[in-house]
């Protein structure tokens, strides 16, 4: 009868043990990333415009800039409330405080479409700061979220769905026909199939979030194009990682997109509410770039799109380039010599 150790080795191979350990590491990283990003949201350097008479504007900016914990990054805005509102809609500011020198109630301009949690956190900070001077604050939303978009989260969840589809499509291609394409022609076919899938996923996701559920405004063409780019960028990145690391590349893609990308995307908590690490990496990853872009299309007339679209395009181009390079190198690599069969091996001479 085989021993327990032999049975164990047969049941759990060394490769399987390594993959299980890798899964555990990925799971713990998932927990650490999400809890680390969301456990204690605090506003940090919220871009705040200050509209006030010149004689008090400079002092007010200095005082707000010196609040404990640096929750605000204030700067004066000329041109009154209309100019401050325009800067918010252009995504140059997160909020603006319009001071009324003839009364004791000031106006806080916010953008609910950028995330309700950011607007609420900014209101809480300024309410406390104004109360110290015996003043009050009334809130005016200059870019409100749609009635069906609870807390401005639809953009985030739509992009998360697109990202999931991207790496799952690439993973299925790997599982069905091998993680590494055998030659450049097959790599092109996989990328072509991914592009078709991305176009379909982008359109259907937009239709569900928009016309079907009425959860997100904005033109269908703009969101469709964004969704296609997000899905293709994530899928191409997954194909590239599979070309470099085989089936392990799927886990690496999940680490980038899910473990690091989702909590830093600015969805549940926009960037100024995230800890420094997640605040820094979020705009450079597909979920963050996609979420910012979806909100810009839906609520800010497409303003502030250049940088995130360049980020998504860079992921897509890099994914295609690495995928093709891996397939080309695999094609050029000489095949390993086949092992001799038992029939072809020379037999030792008989005594």
């Amino acid at each position: 009868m085989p021993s327990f150790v032999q049975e164990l080795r047969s049941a759990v191979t060394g490769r399987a043990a390594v993959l299980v350990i890798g899964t555990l590491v990925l799971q713990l990283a998932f927990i650490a990333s999400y809890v680390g990003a969301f456990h204690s949201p605090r506003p940090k350097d919220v871009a705040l415009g200050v509209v006030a008479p010149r004689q008090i504007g400079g002092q007010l900016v200095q005082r707000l800039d010196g609040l404990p914990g640096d929750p605000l990054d204030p700067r004066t805005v000329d041109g009154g409330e209309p100019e401050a509102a325009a800067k918010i809609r252009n995504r140059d500011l997160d909020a603006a405080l319009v001071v009324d020198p003839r009364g004791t109630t000031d106006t806080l301009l916010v953008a609910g479409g950028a995330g309700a949690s950011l607007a609420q956190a900014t209101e809480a900070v300024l309410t406390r700061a104004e109360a110290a001077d015996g003043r009050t604050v009334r809130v005016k939303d200059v870019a409100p979220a749609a009635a069906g978009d609870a807390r401005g989260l639809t953009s985030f969840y739509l992009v998360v769905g697109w990202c999931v589809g991207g790496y799952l499509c690439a993973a299925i291609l790997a599982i069905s026909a091998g993680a590494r394409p055998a030659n450049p022609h097959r790599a092109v076919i996989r990328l072509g199939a991914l592009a078709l899938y991305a176009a379909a996923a982008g359109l259907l996701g937009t239709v569900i979030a928009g016309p079907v559920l009425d959860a997100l405004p904005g033109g269908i063409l703009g969101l469709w194009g964004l969704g296609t780019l997000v899905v293709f960028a994530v899928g191409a990145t997954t194909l590239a990682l599979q070309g470099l690391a085989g089936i392990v590349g799927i886990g690496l893609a999940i680490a980038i997109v899910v473990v690091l990308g989702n909590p830093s995307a600015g969805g549940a908590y926009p960037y100024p509410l995230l800890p420094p690490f997640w605040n820094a990496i979020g705009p450079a990853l597909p979920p963050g770039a996609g979420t910012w872009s979806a909100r810009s299309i839906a609520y800010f007339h497409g303003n502030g799109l250049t940088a995130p679209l360049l980020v998504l395009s860079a992921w897509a181009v890099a994914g295609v380039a690495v995928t093709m390079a891996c397939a080309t190198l695999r094609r050029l690599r000489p095949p390993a010599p086949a092992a001799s069969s038992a029939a072809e091996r020379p037999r030792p001479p008989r005594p």
Side-chain angles (χ1 to χ4, degrees), residues 79-143:
E81 181 176 329
E83 179 64 18
K87 286 183 175 294
I88 293 174
R89 295 190 184 100
N90 287 334
R91 311 214 74 177
D92 296 324
L93 293 174
D94 296 317
L97 180 66
V98 182
V99 176
D100 181 5
R102 295 171 295 182
T104 59
T105 300
D106 299 329
T107 301
L108 174 63
L109 307 181
V110 298
S117 56
L118 178 58
Q120 292 169 354
T122 306
E123 179 186 357
V125 170
L126 285 171
T127 297
R128 290 193 297 268
E130 292 276 88
D133 292 337
R135 304 182 67 84
T136 58
V137 174
R138 69 181 183 92
V139 178
K140 181 178 179 181
D141 197 336
V142 298

Side-chain angles (χ1 to χ4, degrees), residues 42-99:
R42 295 188 183 93
K44 177 74 174 178
D45 293 331
V46 176
L48 177 74
V50 176
V51 179
R54 292 186 178 180
Q55 57 270 26
I56 64 173
Q59 295 178 353
L60 179 58
V61 167
Q62 185 176 4
R63 185 168 67 84
L64 294 175
D65 193 34
L67 292 177
D70 297 322
L72 304 175
D73 180 18
R75 73 288 305 264
T76 57
V77 175
D78 298 326
E81 181 176 329
E83 179 64 18
K87 286 183 175 294
I88 293 174
R89 295 190 184 100
N90 287 334
R91 311 214 74 177
D92 296 324
L93 293 174
D94 296 317
L97 180 66
V98 182
V99 176

Side-chain angles (χ1 to χ4, degrees), residues 28 39 43 49 55 64 74 106 180 207 217 223 288 303 327:
L28 296 178
H39 77 288
Q55 57 270 26
L64 294 175
D106 299 329
R180 295 182 174 96
V207 170
L223 287 174
N303 293 316

Side-chain angles (χ1 to χ4, degrees), residues 21-348:
I21 293 173
T23 301
L24 176 61
V25 172
L26 194 64
Q27 173 187 333
L28 296 178
F30 181 97
I31 295 171
S33 185
Y34 276 74
V35 175
F38 297 154
H39 77 288
S40 182
R42 295 188 183 93
K44 177 74 174 178
D45 293 331
V46 176
L48 177 74
V50 176
V51 179
R54 292 186 178 180
Q55 57 270 26
I56 64 173
Q59 295 178 353
L60 179 58
V61 167
Q62 185 176 4
R63 185 168 67 84
L64 294 175
D65 193 34
L67 292 177
D70 297 322
L72 304 175
D73 180 18
R75 73 288 305 264
T76 57
V77 175
D78 298 326
E81 181 176 329
E83 179 64 18
K87 286 183 175 294
I88 293 174
R89 295 190 184 100
N90 287 334
R91 311 214 74 177
D92 296 324
L93 293 174
D94 296 317
L97 180 66
V98 182
V99 176
D100 181 5
R102 295 171 295 182
T104 59
T105 300
D106 299 329
T107 301
L108 174 63
L109 307 181
V110 298
S117 56
L118 178 58
Q120 292 169 354
T122 306
E123 179 186 357
V125 170
L126 285 171
T127 297
R128 290 193 297 268
E130 292 276 88
D133 292 337
R135 304 182 67 84
T136 58
V137 174
R138 69 181 183 92
V139 178
K140 181 178 179 181
D141 197 336
V142 298
D149 185 7
R151 300 184 62 80
L153 291 175
T154 299
S155 299
F156 170 60
Y157 290 124
L158 176 60
V159 171
V160 167
W162 281 333
C163 289
V164 170
Y167 68 72
L168 282 182
C169 178
I172 290 171
L173 290 173
I175 293 172
S176 63
R180 295 182 174 96
N183 54 59
H185 298 291
R186 293 187 183 180
V188 170
I189 291 172
R190 287 191 183 186
L191 289 168
L194 175 63
L196 292 175
Y197 175 87
L203 175 60
L204 295 175
T206 298
V207 170
I208 290 172
V212 174
L213 297 179
D214 196 23
L216 196 66
I220 290 180
L221 289 179
L223 287 174
W224 179 13
L226 173 64
T228 301
L229 181 57
V230 169
V231 175
F232 186 80
V234 173
T237 300
T238 306
L239 289 177
L241 293 171
Q242 291 170 174
L244 293 171
I247 200 70
V248 175
I250 298 175
L252 296 176
I254 293 174
I256 293 172
V257 176
V258 179
V259 174
L260 294 176
N262 286 355
S264 65
Y269 296 115
Y271 296 138
L273 300 182
L274 294 175
F277 173 74
W278 289 268
N279 182 303
I281 67 173
L285 297 177
T291 299
W292 178 279
S293 299
R295 283 173 170 166
S296 291
I297 293 171
Y299 297 116
F300 299 95
H301 308 291
N303 293 316
L305 277 177
T306 302
L309 290 183
L310 287 176
V311 168
L312 291 170
S313 299
W315 282 98
V317 171
V320 170
V322 173
T323 299
M324 294 303 301
C326 290
T328 302
L329 292 175
R330 183 177 174 85
R331 175 73 171 182
L332 297 176
R333 187 178 304 151
S340 299
S341 64
E344 296 172 341
R345 293 173 190 163
R347 296 182 180 181

